[in-house]
Amino acid sequence: MRGLLDGLVSAGTPARLLFVHAHPDDETLTTGVALAHHVARGDDVHVLTCTLGEEGEVIPPALAHLEGDGPALAAHRRGELAAAVAALGVTHHLLGAAGPHDAPAFRDSGMAGSAAAADPRAFAGVPLAVAAEAVGAVLDAVDPHVVVTYDAGGGYGHPDHVRTHEATRLAAASRGVPVLGVLVPLSWATQDREWLARSVPEGEGWVLPTAEHAYAANVVPDEVATRAVVDPSVVPVQEGALRAHATQVVLGAGWYALSNHHVFRLAGREAYALLDPDTGRPLPEGRP
């Protein structure tokens, strides 16, 4: 596979990257390896978060009172996010918030079918042009060489992830900025499933993947994922950022789990593809 920036930024030139995510924790769960890797390279790395995750489930019993209390959970997750991006060493932006303490323009829409989607500020429900304009304002301020976000399906179909992809792609296309989407090669999904079966403790309620496509819709044939960041050395940085997201993540030895007890491997690698600006589909770049 190519490197993340091959052919997009001149070799030896410090790059400016903008990663666009829907909720706090998505930045570390989905692109934590790339974020830490490019910070270590000396690149100028930015993260844009579109909502504060008001509809998230809360794992620790001591914080269970936050679940269902949107404003309280948003405030708490904002603090978690600040600690996570500090651990990663990136510059953070909150969509529609002019200052570090201002409220964002949009809120978490919840999973598909959630009552939260009816809120007038729900990110998935606002007109696409409005969402894209807000993302575009951050693009103009950051002026990135490359933007990174989800694939067209939002990774696993969450409405806010899909809207994040749509708004980011529209804003970037109008400015001529290339967009990379996160994918999972089928061979990696298979390897991770086998590793988790050997490595995760039994009898503790963890849910192991039983098939390559158990968790994510963005598992693709290997040839579709044309770019990658492979850097196991940054996993400790990613783990440090994950610890900050205590309401959402349980950290194990080389793996993490979400509130549904599904486990994922911390393999120190992430795959991507350059997306067609019109359709959002991965472009067939070849795999040198």
Side-chain angles (χ1 to χ4, degrees):
M1 297 185 194
R2 303 166 188 257
L4 192 69
L5 302 180
D6 286 357
L8 303 176
V9 180
S10 300
T13 301
R16 192 162 47 256
L17 301 94
L18 175 64
F19 291 72
V20 187
H21 286 287
H23 313 109
D25 79 13
D26 290 330
E27 79 294 329
T28 309
L29 297 170
T30 309
T31 59
V33 173
L35 291 170
H37 173 81
H38 281 280
V39 167
R41 272 184 26 138
D43 294 325
D44 184 12
V45 184
H46 296 250
V47 168
L48 169 61
T49 307
C50 296
T51 81
L52 285 173
E54 291 90 339
E55 299 302 309
E57 296 176 335
V58 175
I59 295 174
L63 297 174
H65 62 281
L66 296 173
E67 189 169 324
D69 184 341
L73 182 56
H76 188 89
R77 295 191 71 181
R78 188 171 194 160
E80 291 184 337
L81 178 60
V85 296
L88 291 163
V90 303
T91 301
H92 183 251
H93 310 262
L94 183 60
L95 191 60
H101 304 294
D102 293 335
F106 310 104
R107 82 179 304 280
D108 187 351
S109 308
M111 298 295 287
S114 169
D119 189 290
R121 292 176 56 236
F123 189 52
V126 300
L128 176 57
V130 172
E133 182 180 8
V135 173
V138 180
L139 276 165
D140 292 339
V142 174
D143 191 24
H145 296 100
V146 174
V147 174
V148 183
T149 191
Y150 315 105
D151 72 321
Y156 66 101
H158 191 295
D160 285 338
H161 287 226
V162 174
R163 178 46 50 95
T164 298
H165 162 91
E166 295 169 340
T168 301
R169 180 164 54 83
L170 181 60
S174 68
R175 292 161 174 79
V177 181
V179 177
L180 294 163
V182 184
L183 299 172
V184 180
L186 178 58
S187 66
W188 288 13
T190 302
Q191 292 164 15
D192 290 351
R193 175 166 54 92
E194 294 171 350
W195 184 91
L196 289 165
R198 297 191 305 267
S199 305
V200 175
E202 297 181 3
E204 298 184 14
W206 305 122
V207 180
L208 300 175
T210 57
E212 292 84 353
H213 297 267
Y215 295 155
N218 64 343
V219 175
V220 297
D222 283 16
E223 63 270 16
V224 176
T226 55
R227 295 170 179 265
V229 178
V230 180
D231 187 356
S233 72
V234 303
V235 169
V237 177
Q238 185 183 22
E239 289 176 332
L242 287 175
R243 287 189 186 93
H245 289 296
T247 60
Q248 307 298 306
V249 183
V250 174
L251 199 60
W255 54 272
Y256 66 87
L258 303 179
S259 60
N260 58 9
H261 293 170
H262 285 189
V263 294
F264 300 82
R265 184 183 180 191
L266 289 166
R269 60 188 183 185
E270 294 163 356
Y272 300 85
L274 190 63
L275 302 181
D276 185 301
D278 296 321
T279 67
R281 296 181 184 134
L283 291 171
E285 297 186 90
R287 294 163 60 88

